[in-house]
Amino acid sequence: MSDCIFCRIVQGQAPARILYRDDEVTAFHDLHPQAPVHLLIVPNRHIAGVAEVGPGDEPMLGKLFIVARRLAEEMDIGDGYRLVVNSGPLAGQSVFHLHLHLLGGRPFRWPPG
Ligand code: AMP
């Protein structure tokens, strides 16, 4: 989708600090980090969010987690990190292209705000 910022990043049409890319997913630094490490892992194919995932998406969804785990180790936060998916405006989703937040490098509280 040409008006989707994450599609534009995936396609190399918008700037981003990309850390990982394969034929299914792309990972890059969040523009407004909420922790010393704050990465986003996104499917290359446009999917608006969790509400749109369905049968056939299992490999891609699994890949998001495997890449997150690998990047957490590479970023030296393997001892403790938080994975977040905001689904819908009420939960704070602001970019409507599915993404997994990987946050680490500081303590996190529960419940989240
Ligand atoms: P969410 O609020 O869960 O939809 O998360 C969207 C995230 O995308 C936020 O943490 C933003 O800081 C981040 N973001 C928005 N635009 C960009 C961009 N151009 N490059 C990197 N991260 C972005």
Side-chain angles (χ1 to χ4, degrees):
M1 270 176 67
S2 59
D3 59 344
C4 169
I5 182 61
F6 289 178
C7 283
R8 289 171 54 75
I9 288 172
V10 165
Q11 290 157 12
Q13 295 167 354
R17 293 166 60 207
I18 291 178
L19 284 164
Y20 179 82
R21 188 205 299 270
D22 65 23
D23 57 350
E24 229 166 6
V25 307
T26 299
F28 49 91
H29 288 271
D30 195 292
L31 197 57
H32 304 292
Q34 302 301 314
V37 175
H38 187 173
L39 310 181
L40 301 171
I41 305 116
V42 313
N44 293 345
R45 183 168 53 90
H46 184 82
I47 303 175
V50 172
E52 278 70 34
V53 301
D57 289 327
E58 292 91 341
M60 175 276 292
L61 293 169
K63 177 70 82 64
L64 295 179
F65 277 82
I66 288 169
V67 169
R69 194 265 293 162
R70 213 182 289 149
L71 287 172
E73 289 169 5
E74 284 176 25
M75 302 297 283
D76 210 20
I77 57 167
D79 282 352
Y81 52 88
R82 185 166 286 181
L83 298 174
V84 174
V85 179
N86 296 318
S87 178
L90 207 57
Q93 185 176 4
S94 61
V95 176
F96 289 86
H97 180 127
L98 180 66
H99 50 282
L100 183 60
H101 294 258
L102 167 59
L103 298 131
R106 66 168 172 84
F108 294 95
R109 297 208 188 93
W110 196 262

